[in-house]
Amino acid sequence: MWLKNLQIYRLPANYAMTAAQLNECLLSRAFVPCTGMDVQSQGFAPPRDGGDLVHTVNGQMLLKLCTEKRLLPASVINQVSKAKAAELEDQQGFKPGRKQMREIKEQVADELLPRAFAVQNHTAVWIDPVNGWLVIDSATPSKADDVLKLLLKSVDQFPVTSLRVIQSPLAAMTSWLSSDEAPIGFTIDQDTELRSCGMDKSAVRYVSHTLDADDMGRHIAAGKQCTRLALTWADKITFVLTESLAIKRVTALDVIKENSDSKMQDDCERFDSDFVLMTGELSRMLADIVDALGGEASA
């Protein structure tokens, strides 16, 4: 298992709460499927079937937020409401008015909701209490906020903070492209986006394209700044760094996959082995990214 999109937060180094203590706190927010008239249900579920809400290996913790939503499209409500309105018109001899139509739609929604199809999605949360990382596998900050809100409701005085660095990713990535030189331990790949900070908001995007230094220089001289940049770390992991310090499209390269024990037949052992391998590499990668951005900013 590998996290694909990293929203990164900070915990105090050597965070003292144990997995057992955290598990106890999360029990009050355990996931329960939608029942009755629930449109959505959200809570923490075991990362591994039959396990605790906090799965831990070598001091690294893994959580899973489960969100279930009932799908009740407006088109379905409108279709059924239209049929009911036609029946009512035959009974009363005139078309239902706005208020009556609103009441019909509300009644139809109440009738259909318990039978609506429910879909689930899961968001992984990795906690590294040794190095003080809390990472949420989400492509958008809004989903990460949902996780944090539930954690803050579950754990009293949960000491999570945003990651702050000395040099902004926007300035750093623009500098790397301008000089055609990546920070130590990294290489620049073939995807990037440069965007103007002027009124026109013009942008140019390169996808699987050689990033020519002269081209990059012209765009930067014209006032554009780098908002996304694909990088490879230590010839092991590729990713895209964004201006908001989110890391997207994380992919482990073959050199890491070859180190995993593919001969293991037990799913639980394989899961734990992959988790240990992933957390070890990502912990080092995150530290190097912070260093490349000038270090961590003091509060």
Side-chain angles (χ1 to χ4, degrees):
M1 59 143 307
W2 275 80
L3 306 184
K4 298 298 183 184
N5 299 287
L6 314 183
Q7 303 288 335
I8 310 163
Y9 303 89
R10 266 313 205 176
L11 289 171
N14 296 309
Y15 179 54
M17 179 171 281
T18 66
Q21 291 170 330
L22 181 56
N23 187 82
E24 186 69 25
C25 292
L26 298 184
L27 287 175
S28 63
R29 304 286 175 178
F31 172 73
V32 177
C34 291
T35 58
M37 300 304 294
D38 294 336
V39 176
Q40 175 175 307
S41 180
Q42 194 171 62
F44 293 101
R48 259 186 19 192
D49 292 342
D52 292 331
L53 297 181
V54 180
H55 183 69
T56 180
V57 186
N58 284 6
Q60 302 295 307
M61 303 181 193
L62 182 66
L63 319 178
K64 182 173 76 173
L65 180 73
C66 183
T67 303
E68 182 176 272
K69 292 183 179 180
R70 280 185 166 151
L71 300 181
L72 188 54
S75 58
V76 174
I77 296 176
N78 291 336
Q79 182 180 350
V80 177
S81 298
K82 186 176 180 180
K84 285 186 175 291
E87 293 176 3
L88 188 59
E89 182 179 353
D90 290 340
Q91 294 171 11
Q92 64 188 17
F94 57 88
K95 290 183 177 181
R98 290 184 179 179
K99 181 180 178 182
Q100 209 167 16
M101 277 303 303
R102 185 167 60 250
E103 292 172 349
I104 290 173
K105 287 185 177 182
E106 291 174 354
Q107 180 185 357
V108 167
D110 289 345
E111 291 173 356
L112 294 179
L113 187 60
R115 293 178 283 157
F117 184 67
V119 294
Q120 290 185 4
N121 63 71
H122 306 108
T123 305
V125 184
W126 161 43
I127 296 176
D128 177 356
V130 177
N131 299 296
W133 299 114
L134 187 148
V135 177
I136 300 173
D137 187 2
S138 172
T140 61
S142 58
K143 277 192 176 181
D145 286 344
D146 288 342
V147 177
L148 288 180
K149 286 175 184 176
L150 212 56
L151 279 172
L152 290 169
K153 288 178 181 177
S154 306
V155 184
D156 289 338
Q157 298 179 339
F158 192 57
V160 63
T161 58
S162 297
L163 173 63
R164 298 174 64 246
V165 290
I166 291 175
Q167 187 177 21
S168 75
L170 192 73
M173 292 187 295
T174 303
S175 174
W176 300 338
L177 279 181
S178 178
S179 64
D180 193 26
E181 186 174 348
I184 295 173
F186 296 85
T187 55
I188 296 174
D189 295 336
Q190 295 187 323
D191 289 28
T192 191
E193 180 181 271
L194 297 103
R195 189 174 296 275
S196 172
C197 55
M199 294 293 291
D200 60 348
K201 299 295 181 183
S202 60
V204 60
R205 178 176 292 180
Y206 290 79
V207 179
S208 301
H209 193 288
T210 301
L211 305 183
D212 181 77
D214 291 338
D215 287 343
M216 298 301 104
R218 282 192 292 270
H219 289 304
I220 293 169
K224 292 185 178 68
Q225 293 179 297
C226 182
T227 57
R228 295 166 60 92
L229 183 62
L231 297 163
T232 295
W233 170 75
D235 295 325
K236 293 181 178 181
I237 299 173
T238 66
F239 63 94
V240 174
L241 180 63
T242 73
E243 61 181 319
S244 62
L245 197 46
I247 297 174
K248 300 188 175 183
R249 288 167 35 193
V250 175
T251 304
L253 299 180
D254 290 341
V255 66
I256 286 184
K257 295 176 182 177
E258 290 168 0
N259 288 334
S260 63
D261 192 348
S262 59
K263 296 180 181 179
M264 288 184 179
Q265 298 301 316
D266 183 87
D267 289 342
C268 293
E269 289 182 354
R270 186 179 298 109
F271 184 96
D272 287 352
S273 175
D274 288 346
F275 183 54
V276 169
L277 179 62
M278 178 196 72
T279 54
E281 297 294 350
L282 288 184
S283 288
R284 288 187 286 273
M285 187 185 82
L286 292 179
D288 285 351
I289 289 173
V290 170
D291 286 343
L293 296 172
E296 200 161 352
S298 58

